[in-house]
Amino acid sequence: MFSSFAEKEPNMDKSNAYLLWFEQLERKDVDIVGGKSSSLGEMTSKTDVPVPYGFATTAHAYRYFIDQTGLREKMRSILAELTDVENSELLSSVCVRLRGAIMEQEMPQDLQDAIRRAYEELAHKMNEDEPYVAVRSSATAEDLPDASFAGQQDTYLNVHGADQVIRKVKECYASCFTDRAVYYREKQGYDHLSLALSAVVQMMVFSKAAGVMFTVNVANGDDKNIMIEGAYGLGEYVVGGIVTPDSYVVSKDEMKLISVSVNEQDKMLIRKPGGDTMEVPVPEADRRKQTLTNAQILELAGYAKKIEAHYGCYMDMEWGIDERDGKIWILQARPETVWSRRNKEKKNEEEQTAGSMEGAKVLLKGLPASPGQGYGKAHVIRDPKDIDEFKDGEILVTEMTAPDWVPAMKKAQAIVTDSGGMTCHASIVSRELGIPCIVGTKSRGEAATEVLKGGEEITVDASNGVVFAGNLQVKKAEAAAAPAQAAAVVETFPVTGTKIYMNLGDPSLADKYASLPCDGIGLMREEFIWTTYIHEHPLYLLKTGHPEKVVEALAEGFRKVAQAMAPRPVTLRFSDFKSSEYRDLKGGEEFEPHEPSALLGWRGASRYYDPKYTAAFRLEVQAVRKVREEYGLKNLNVMIPFCRTVDECAKVVSIMEEEGLHRGPDFKVWLMAEIPANIILADKFNQYVDGYSIGSNDLTMLTLGCDRDNDVISHLFDERNLAVRRAVRHLIEVAHRDGKTVSLCGQAASVYPEFAEFLVESGIDSMSVNPDAVKFTKKMVAQVEQRIILDKLTGRGRNKNDEELAW
Ligand code: PEP
Ligand code: MG
C-alpha cells in the first residue's frame, strides 16, 4: 500500500524521507512536517475521527529543493537588499523576486517523481483517476511563537493532476515569501533561510457547509461547552471572517445542544465545476435557515470531545461536510495554548484544595479577591489600635483594611474582611503582596468578624472565596511536594508590541518580582512606603523639623524598585492617600479634615498645589530628583493621580519644574486617567503630559456612580460596562492624535482577560497588571496581537464591537 516511497518500515528514518503519509505521522513529527501536517497525522494514526486522506512533503524535501537548485545563495543575496522592512515598496519588490526565483526553478527530478507516485497512490486509494486535492503549507519554523506566520496560510483548493500538485507544492514554498510573512519574520528577528516548509496534499472535501469549533470559550476560558461556528460553502469564509456564521453551543457533560444562534448568510464560497473556487449567493430560501442539522452539530461535538480527550488540552478545529455524501470531515486540529495552560494550573490548585477540603465545614463565603490558600489561627481585629497585636502567620480578620494596616497584612497567611469589593484596599494590596484574601463576607451572608473566633484554626480558600474550619493544608503540602522537578523547565515568553508592565509599590518585593517577564513597573503606589517605612504625617515632620526623613525614606524606596527593574522604566505615582488615611499617620489629626466622602475629597493633585499641603508634595518631588540625579537611576518617571481639572494639571507640572524636574525625552510625566473629566478633556490635558495610565478602579466608580468600597452595590461595579469601554476607546483615540501614549493600571486588566484583549484591540500602548497576572497576560496579549496583525495584513477586520464603542 505504501509502496512508492518511505515504505512503512518499522525503523525508517522519517527525517530523510521526501514524503510521509498521514498514517506514518504523529504530533511529535512537527520538526519534519510542521504543525499542520503532524496534527493531521496524529489524528489519522491515533484516533478514529474522520480526516481526509493525504500525505505531506517534509522539511528535508524543502531543503533539498532549495540547496540542490542553488536557490539558497540566490535568495540570500536578494534578501540582503531588504534594508528597510518598513519601506513597503522595497519589501514588495524583494518578495516578488524571491517568489519568482522559487517558481522559476524546476524541482529535482527524484522529488518530482516521489510526489507524482504519491498522488497516484492517493488516486488509487480514493478510487478515482485524477482526484481533486487540497494543497496547504505547514511551516516548521520551531522558534516562532506562531509558526503559521512563517508561511502564508493560503490553501490551494481543487488541485487536479500530478503536474498541478507539484506546481502547488512549489507555490507553497514561494508563499513563505509573501510581504506579510517576510515582514512578520523580520519583526520577530527570525532568519528567513532557516525555516522549512512542508506541504500537505489531501483529498479535497467539497464542503456544502464548513466552519470551526473550539473546546473552550476563547473569550473567557469557560471549558464546559463546545463552541461550533458554521456557514454554507467552503470553510475559508468562516476562517477569514468574511461571513458571520451560525454559532452553536453543546454542553460537554451531557452532549446536549444548549444554544443555537442563526445568522443570515448571503454569500458563500464554492468549488467551480472543473476546479478553482468562486463566490455565489446563498439561495434565498436557505439564508435565514440553520446551516447544520441538530444531528450534524452533535456529531461534530462528539469529534471535538474525542480530539480534546486525545490531546489532553483545549482544541481549535476546522471541519467540512462533503456535498457528495454528507460525510463530516475534520480538516484541521490545533491545541489552544493560552487557556489550556491557565486553566490547567488553576485546576491543579483546585484539585489539591478540593482533595484536602472534602467534607470540611464551611464557615463563611465572600469575594475571591486574591487567589491562593492560607491556613492559620484567626485573629480578629476590630479596632486599628490593636493592630500591633497581630502576629506572623495568623489570619487577619477585620471589617476592612486601610493603608496603615499594610505592615500587619504582610505578616498574614491570609486576610478575610467583612466588606469591600474587588478594587477595595484589601483586594488591591493583598493581590500585590501575593497574600490570599477574601473580601465582602457580610454581603454574602455573615460578617467574618462576627463568625470567626480569635485563636480558631481556619483555612482560607481565597481562589474560591470560602473559609473552612480547621487545618486543611497538611494534605495539600504533601500533594504539592511531588512535582518539584517540573520547575526546572525554562519558560519562554513572546515579545509583545503592547508593553506589559507590573503594579508594584512595596520596595521589599522588588527583587523577588524583578525576574518576571514584564517591561517595567506601570504603577508604583507611593503609599506603601509611607505605611511601611515613614509612619508619620509629612506636615508633622515638616513642623517638627525633620523633612529629610521623608526625602530619605521615599528616595530609598524608589531606589530599590528602580534599581531592581533597571533598565526597564518605573512609574512612580505620587501619593494618593485620602484624608482619612493621612490622618492615620502620626501627627495627622492636626492637618487632616474630616470629610463626608474622602474618596471624593482632598486627594491626589488637589493637594499638591494647595498652600496647606504643597510643602509636603515638594518633598516627594525632591525624593524623585535625588534618585534620578544622585543615584543616577534615570528609569524613574512619575504619574499624577486624581487630577480633576486641566488647571490643576498645569499647576502640578509647574511645581515639579520649580523643584527641578523637567518633563523631556529622558523624564516622563504621566497622568492617571481615572476621572471622566480626564477623558472628556483629554485634548486639553494632552499638552501637559506624555500620556495617560487609566485608573480603571476610580474611572469605573465615577463613570457608573458606584462607590468602589461599597460591597452592597459591588455587583454593579464592572469595568467591562460599555460606558467604561467607550471612555477607554475615546481616550486612546484622542491621546494618540497628539502622540501621547495610553496605558492602564487599574485592576481590570488583571482580573478580566477579555478586558485586556479589548485593550489590545483598541490599540493601547501598554497595560500594567498584578505580579500574579504578568505571565499569563504576556502570553495572551501576544496571541491577540498576532491575530490582529493577521487580520490587518489580510484586510479582515474582526472587531465586531467597533460600532457600539463609537462615542
Ligand atoms: C485606579 O483607580 O484604577 C488606580 C489604579 O488607582 P487606585 O486603585 O490606587 O485608586
Ligand atoms: Mg485611582
Side-chain angles (χ1 to χ4, degrees), residues 12-257:
M12 67 171 289
D13 179 2
K14 289 190 205 170
S15 59
N16 285 330
Y18 290 150
L19 310 150
L20 291 161
W21 288 96
F22 291 167
E23 289 94 325
Q24 293 173 290
L25 290 168
E26 312 166 65
R27 73 180 115 160
K28 67 175 167 50
D29 294 326
V30 62
D31 295 357
I32 302 171
V33 292
K36 213 176 269 179
S37 310
S38 60
S39 164
L40 290 164
E42 176 78 13
M43 283 192 292
T44 306
S45 62
K46 304 272 182 58
T47 77
D48 62 357
V49 299
V51 175
Y53 315 124
F55 61 87
T57 64
T58 59
H60 171 65
Y62 173 87
R63 293 198 182 101
Y64 180 64
F65 169 61
I66 299 287
D67 289 330
Q68 278 297 108
T69 52
L71 266 169
R72 189 173 297 279
E73 276 321 304
K74 197 165 183 179
M75 290 162 72
R76 199 186 303 282
S77 74
I78 299 175
L79 278 163
E81 291 173 36
L82 184 59
T83 45
D84 176 10
V85 74
E86 301 295 343
N87 177 340
S88 49
E89 249 173 61
L90 177 64
L91 174 67
S92 172
S93 84
V94 163
C95 291
V96 165
R97 286 166 56 209
L98 286 168
R99 293 197 299 274
I102 292 173
M103 291 312 293
E104 254 163 36
Q105 282 301 333
E106 273 284 293
M107 242 187 216
Q109 195 56 47
D110 54 345
L111 182 51
Q112 285 196 40
D113 291 346
I115 296 175
R116 198 175 295 281
R117 281 200 304 275
Y119 177 71
E120 283 160 10
E121 214 166 289
L122 190 62
H124 179 67
K125 273 185 171 196
M126 292 167 62
N127 259 339
E128 282 181 39
D129 283 347
E130 281 204 324
Y132 284 98
V133 290
V135 182
R136 308 166 195 269
S137 50
S138 172
T140 64
E142 305 140 56
D143 298 349
L144 286 182
D146 180 349
S148 62
F149 278 82
Q152 200 177 37
Q153 288 194 310
D154 275 358
T155 291
Y156 305 103
L157 302 176
N158 287 318
V159 182
H160 186 58
D163 290 343
Q164 274 305 313
V165 171
I166 291 167
R167 182 174 172 80
K168 292 300 174 192
V169 170
K170 261 192 350 183
E171 279 184 30
C172 281
Y173 291 172
S175 77
C176 294
F177 297 94
T178 58
D179 299 6
R180 178 174 74 102
V182 170
Y183 181 85
Y184 180 78
R185 285 194 300 269
E186 279 285 321
K187 286 284 174 197
Q188 297 285 336
Y190 189 85
D191 176 12
H192 301 283
L193 292 173
S194 51
L195 73 96
L197 198 98
S198 155
V200 182
V201 179
Q202 190 178 24
M203 182 195 105
M204 181 73 199
V205 173
F206 297 118
S207 301
K208 62 176 178 185
V212 294
M213 56 184 178
F214 298 89
T215 62
V216 64
N217 182 335
V218 286
N220 60 18
D222 180 2
D223 63 359
K224 291 187 189 61
N225 304 318
I226 292 158
M227 329 283 293
I228 302 175
E229 293 189 341
Y232 292 113
L234 301 170
E236 276 61 26
Y237 273 18
V238 178
V239 177
I242 295 163
V243 294
T244 308
D246 283 2
S247 58
Y248 316 111
V249 181
V250 177
S251 68
K252 276 189 205 165
D253 273 3
E254 299 182 300
M255 290 306 274
K256 260 199 193 143
L257 184 56

Side-chain angles (χ1 to χ4, degrees), residues 573 576 603 672 674 698 708:
R573 186 187 67 181
D576 188 22
R603 61 178 284 204
M672 294 274 306
E674 54 186 350
D698 280 317
R708 59 190 271 191

Side-chain angles (χ1 to χ4, degrees), residues 22 79 115 164 265 278 282 363 402 436 578 684 687 707 715 723 733 798:
F22 291 167
L79 278 163
I115 296 175
Q164 274 305 313
Q265 293 158 37
M278 64 179 177
V282 172
L363 297 176
K578 289 100 214 161
K684 307 225 178 300
Q687 60 190 303
D707 181 342
H715 58 289
E733 272 170 33
R798 279 215 232 159

